[in-house]
Amino acid sequence: MMSWHPQYRSSKFRHVYGKAASKEKCYDCVPITHSVHDNHFCAVNPHFIAVVTECAGGGAFLVIPIHQTGKLDPHYPRICGHKGNVLDIKWNPFNDFVIASCSEDATVKIWDIPKHLLTKNITTPTKELLGHTRRVGLIEWHPTANNILFSSGHDYKIMIWNLDSRESVLSNPVKILDAHKDVVLSMSFNTDGSLLAIACRDKKIRLIDPRARTVLQEASYKSHRANKVLFLGNMKKLLSTGISRWNNRQIVLWDQNDLSVPLLEEELDGSSGLLFPFYDSDTNMLYIVGKGDGNIRYYEISPEKPYLSYLMEYRSQLPQKGIAMMPKRGLEVTACEIFRFYKLIPTKSLIEPVSMIVPRWSESYQEDIYPLTTGGQPAMTAQEWLNGFNKGPLLVSLRPGSGPVNSLLQLPESEPPVKRPDPNKSQGGRMPPEEMQTKSEIKDSRNQLKVEERLPNNKHMCPSNGFDVFECPPPKTGNELLQMFYQQQEEIRRLRELLNQRDVRIKQLELELRNIYMDTGRY
């Protein structure tokens, strides 16, 4: 049934609302592409906004500094090295000055964007990837490994590229996935990038191990024709948007481990435009953006039934052709902004930012809506991922002034190990998993003791004003009581952050142990 009367429930995101930017904070007079390809046509990072544009005799896109709002100069320089229309553009998640583009000319190109203002067209890419035989419609960067790029073409192949190569022209991808017999419509990674979800034009959703090139799960559900598919963070679930058997727009929720039957089906309306899904794993909020209409619906995802809880809908009279989202590290946390879209409105040659805001009275940092989030540093190298390692993203705090400190607890360096004869040399230099685990536990416990020894010396964990909360006389006045209360609140906050860092470190060590077991099992 269609969700005409959604069920409401208590949530701190119950009153999230969308706020469109004022006219002077929009990007005006932008020649947005007329292509009918089902892509976003736009990509954003904290420094630039890139948008596919109209170009005679080839394909081009614009790269505009994020703060350069207002009317765009009609002679503004372009990136125009493709011989066919540009179909997709994506910023490197670990380098805000590198962008990838793919085109109808069957190539993928990597571009370095200068830090100074563009003064002339850029026509020469840093790297050119020549592997597809037909037009390339999709590209995706790996979420945790540096310089790993996936490309999907109308030759029904998905190619994996290692951009660490020094060559400027790459013709041989490191891996080719050829399990599909039709065009791939959508690709999505899980959190650590070990799995890839695919929506294909043959009406099937597939879950693939990209390194082993094997299909782990396949959904062939006749009541749903998927166009887009999305991993829901660590929920162990997939979400797809598409068309129902009655030609209504539909969202469907799947169990990652069993794609035979969906967990939930919900029809939205009878419009014909594509639905773009966006998921925020920090707040567990799902945003559904309709192509050709101005609405943005948003929901809250829960691990148990009913799974999907409707929150609200942002409405606008200006229909969007494409849309992009700002990474969390580019948001205005002082305004309680939890998500930001950039809408392409070709009827007005306009790019309009829309901020999703949690209404709060306090002007202080709202820690409950800004947990540690994905930062701008890779968790591993391209070769480590190709060798079989899995690592989750490095997390950062969005607190103003906290800096790009990742959430993994920085343990002090251990003493240099004493060289001892290796009793396992007969096994090719590898220790058995049990001994490796024991040594890892000993090293971790030593580091843990060192951290605990350091904590008492850190001014007894006292606040910045030097007031010692452990050895202080009881308050005698109301002001002293209030001061102590605020200091204890700050201390509690810092201890919570420390606990969160410990939890993240524990999970990281568990993943490393599992990778060690898998690695030793291969030999």
Side-chain angles (χ1 to χ4, degrees):
M1 294 181 62
M2 294 190 185
S3 56
W4 301 114
H5 303 286
Q7 295 295 318
Y8 298 101
R9 69 187 189 91
S10 176
S11 168
K12 59 187 172 185
F13 303 111
R14 166 74 267 156
H15 301 291
V16 169
Y17 66 95
K19 180 181 178 182
S22 58
K23 182 74 173 177
E24 59 269 14
K25 292 185 179 180
C26 295
Y27 306 83
D28 202 0
C29 301
V30 180
I32 299 168
T33 180
H34 297 154
S35 172
V36 295
H37 195 70
D38 288 331
N39 264 348
H40 296 156
F41 298 123
C42 187
V44 184
N45 68 27
H47 290 91
F48 299 105
I49 176 168
V51 57
V52 180
T53 182
E54 281 298 299
C55 179
F61 60 97
L62 297 168
V63 173
I64 308 169
I66 200 72
H67 298 298
Q68 188 179 323
T69 54
K71 289 188 176 182
L72 186 72
D73 184 345
H75 303 292
Y76 189 83
R78 307 179 182 204
I79 288 84
C80 50
H82 283 287
K83 297 177 181 177
N85 290 333
V86 175
L87 300 180
D88 198 11
I89 49 177
K90 293 282 168 60
W91 287 105
N92 185 334
F94 310 122
N95 188 339
D96 289 343
F97 299 93
V98 172
I99 190 170
S101 63
C102 63
S103 166
E104 290 182 348
D105 62 9
T107 67
V108 179
K109 298 180 190 290
I110 312 298
W111 309 86
D112 280 348
I113 306 302
K115 296 184 180 181
H116 57 79
L117 193 66
L118 287 178
T119 56
K120 60 180 181 179
N121 290 349
I122 298 178
T123 57
T124 305
T126 308
K127 290 185 185 295
E128 191 171 11
L129 314 181
L130 307 175
H132 291 280
T133 56
R134 299 182 64 186
R135 64 179 180 173
V136 186
L138 284 174
I139 46 177
E140 288 288 345
W141 293 92
H142 193 276
T144 61
N146 197 24
N147 285 333
I148 289 286
L149 182 70
F150 283 57
S151 63
S152 172
H154 283 236
D155 52 7
Y156 311 155
K157 293 178 181 178
I158 298 174
M159 297 186 178
I160 307 175
W161 305 89
N162 181 0
L163 303 184
D164 281 341
S165 171
R166 295 182 180 179
E167 300 174 9
S168 59
V169 178
L170 301 179
S171 302
N172 298 313
V174 290
K175 291 184 185 295
I176 298 178
L177 312 180
D178 53 2
H180 301 87
K181 305 301 180 185
D182 212 327
V183 177
V184 171
L185 302 176
S186 176
M187 297 188 289
S188 176
F189 288 99
N190 65 342
T191 304
D192 63 7
S194 60
L195 298 175
L196 183 68
I198 302 290
C200 185
R201 193 177 284 171
D202 62 7
K203 304 179 183 179
K204 294 181 180 180
I205 297 174
R206 294 177 177 88
L207 191 62
I208 293 177
D209 181 341
R211 287 170 297 200
R213 296 183 294 179
T214 56
V215 178
L216 306 178
Q217 294 275 336
E218 185 173 283
S220 182
Y221 193 60
K222 295 182 179 179
S223 298
H224 177 68
R225 186 167 72 250
N227 291 320
K228 299 292 178 184
V229 66
L230 188 67
F231 261 104
L232 298 182
N234 290 319
M235 288 277 187
K236 303 290 185 183
K237 292 178 177 59
L238 297 175
L239 181 123
S240 61
T241 63
I243 306 297
S244 71
R245 66 170 65 187
W246 310 112
N247 283 334
N248 291 317
R249 295 198 293 188
Q250 183 184 42
I251 54 179
V252 175
L253 197 66
W254 306 84
D255 182 353
Q256 172 183 317
N257 299 317
D258 182 12
L259 299 183
S260 57
V261 179
L263 296 173
L264 176 75
E265 300 175 72
E266 184 160 345
E267 295 187 9
L268 300 184
D269 54 39
S271 299
S272 59
L274 199 69
L275 293 174
F276 295 117
F278 295 89
Y279 180 66
D280 180 4
S281 58
D282 298 341
T283 60
N284 293 330
M285 286 182 66
L286 172 72
Y287 300 87
I288 302 294
V289 182
K291 182 179 180 180
D293 57 61
N295 302 342
I296 301 175
R297 299 174 176 90
Y298 39 104
Y299 303 79
E300 196 166 9
I301 301 289
S302 56
E304 307 296 335
K305 288 185 178 180
Y307 303 120
L308 193 69
S309 302
Y310 177 84
L311 291 175
M312 198 66 73
E313 182 175 0
Y314 167 78
R315 296 177 180 270
S316 169
Q317 299 299 320
L318 300 175
Q320 58 250 359
K321 179 187 182 70
I323 199 154
M325 55 159 282
M326 172 68 78
K328 276 298 187 74
R329 53 196 172 90
L331 299 182
E332 289 288 341
V333 295
T334 54
C336 296
E337 182 185 36
I338 58 171
F339 219 76
R340 190 192 305 161
F341 293 102
Y342 287 77
K343 295 173 51 174
L344 301 187
I345 305 169
T347 55
K348 292 184 174 292
S349 298
L350 188 72
I351 304 176
E352 180 186 54
V354 176
S355 298
M356 312 307 294
I357 296 174
V358 179
R360 294 283 173 94
W361 288 105
S362 174
E363 296 181 358
S364 61
Y365 179 73
Q366 304 294 308
E367 193 168 2
D368 60 322
I369 60 175
Y370 294 116
L372 296 176
T373 189
T374 303
Q377 298 295 324
M380 56 183 162
T381 64
Q383 198 56 50
E384 284 176 332
W385 182 78
L386 292 170
N387 289 342
F389 287 93
N390 296 322
K391 290 183 181 179
L394 298 184
L395 306 180
V396 297
S397 172
L398 296 180
R399 177 181 291 275
S402 62
V405 180
N406 76 62
S407 67
L408 300 181
L409 189 60
Q410 298 298 319
L411 297 174
E413 295 181 7
S414 56
E415 297 101 342
V418 179
K419 291 187 178 180
R420 296 176 182 174
D422 187 1
N424 297 293
K425 281 197 173 180
S426 59
Q427 301 178 14
R430 290 190 170 269
M431 292 185 293
E434 296 83 1
E435 188 172 342
M436 194 174 293
Q437 181 181 12
T438 306
K439 290 199 172 189
S440 177
E441 289 172 353
I442 293 171
K443 183 178 178 182
D444 189 42
S445 63
R446 285 178 180 171
N447 290 335
Q448 189 74 14
L449 284 172
K450 288 191 175 185
V451 172
E452 290 172 358
E453 287 171 4
R454 280 191 172 193
L455 288 179
N457 296 328
N458 190 14
K459 297 183 182 179
H460 293 284
M461 294 294 287
C462 62
S464 58
N465 60 3
F467 188 82
D468 193 339
V469 297
F470 294 107
E471 299 176 1
C472 62
K476 295 178 181 179
T477 65
N479 286 337
E480 288 182 1
L481 181 63
L482 194 60
Q483 184 183 18
M484 178 173 284
F485 170 76
Y486 287 132
Q487 289 168 349
Q488 288 181 344
Q489 290 295 310
E490 179 68 14
E491 188 62 30
I492 290 170
R493 179 194 65 76
R494 291 175 60 179
L495 290 172
R496 281 178 177 166
E497 283 187 356
L498 185 61
L499 284 173
N500 287 337
Q501 291 172 356
R502 295 272 178 89
D503 291 341
V504 171
R505 181 59 180 161
I506 288 169
K507 291 179 181 177
Q508 187 76 10
L509 289 171
E510 288 175 351
L511 284 172
E512 289 178 2
L513 276 175
R514 188 177 66 181
N515 289 333
I516 289 171
Y517 290 154
M518 292 172 64
D519 195 34
T520 53
R522 292 193 184 97
Y523 295 92

